[in-house]
Amino acid sequence: MQVLKALGDPTRLDMLSRMASRDEYPCTTLEHELPVGKSTISYHVKILSQAGLVSVSKKGRFYFYTLHRDIIEFYTPGLLGRLTSEAQVTEP
C-alpha cells in the first residue's frame, strides 16, 4: 500500500520519470529542475525511499538517487515506460 501512496503524487511521479533517465540521479540536478525547494525534494525522496522505490547514496558531499525499477514494474507494470515516453514528448 505504501508504494501506491508514494506513486499517487504528481511531484513524485515527475521525480521518478527524471530518475528513470539515468542509473544514478544527482540530487543537485533535481534541485535545479524542479520548481520546489530542497526540503520538499527531501520529503518526497523520503516517501519514495520508505516505499522501496528509490535508494539514496552519498558520494563525497553529494547525494545520488537510484531507482528500483523492478519494484515499480512489479506494482505498476509499464508505468516507467509511460513516464519516460511522456517526458521525452514534453521536453524541448
Side-chain angles (χ1 to χ4, degrees), residues 63-79:
Y63 289 91
F64 293 85
Y65 307 130
T66 303
L67 202 58
H68 294 278
R69 298 168 193 274
D70 55 337
I71 295 173
I72 295 170
E73 189 63 26
F74 177 80
Y75 284 101
T76 56
L79 177 65

Side-chain angles (χ1 to χ4, degrees), residues 9 11 21 23 29 34-35 41 45 47 49 55 57 61 86 88 90:
D9 183 275
T11 300
S21 67
D23 289 335
T29 302
L34 293 177
I41 291 171
V45 168
I47 299 296
S49 179
S55 60
S57 61
R61 300 179 334 170
E86 287 175 12
Q88 291 173 357
T90 58

Side-chain angles (χ1 to χ4, degrees), residues 12-76:
R12 290 193 284 270
L13 287 176
D14 186 14
M15 293 169 75
L16 291 177
S17 70
R18 293 170 192 273
M19 290 178 195
S21 67
R22 302 180 187 178
D23 289 335
E24 288 186 322
Y25 203 85
C27 173
T28 55
T29 302
L30 273 182
E31 292 170 6
H32 294 289
E33 292 180 349
L34 293 177
V36 296
K38 291 180 185 181
S39 62
T40 303
I41 291 171
S42 294
Y43 168 76
H44 287 299
V45 168
K46 177 182 171 186
I47 299 296
L48 292 169
S49 179
Q50 288 175 341
L53 303 175
V54 172
S55 60
V56 181
S57 61
K58 186 175 182 183
K59 295 180 183 176
R61 300 179 334 170
F62 301 102
Y63 289 91
F64 293 85
Y65 307 130
T66 303
L67 202 58
H68 294 278
R69 298 168 193 274
D70 55 337
I71 295 173
I72 295 170
E73 189 63 26
F74 177 80
Y75 284 101
T76 56

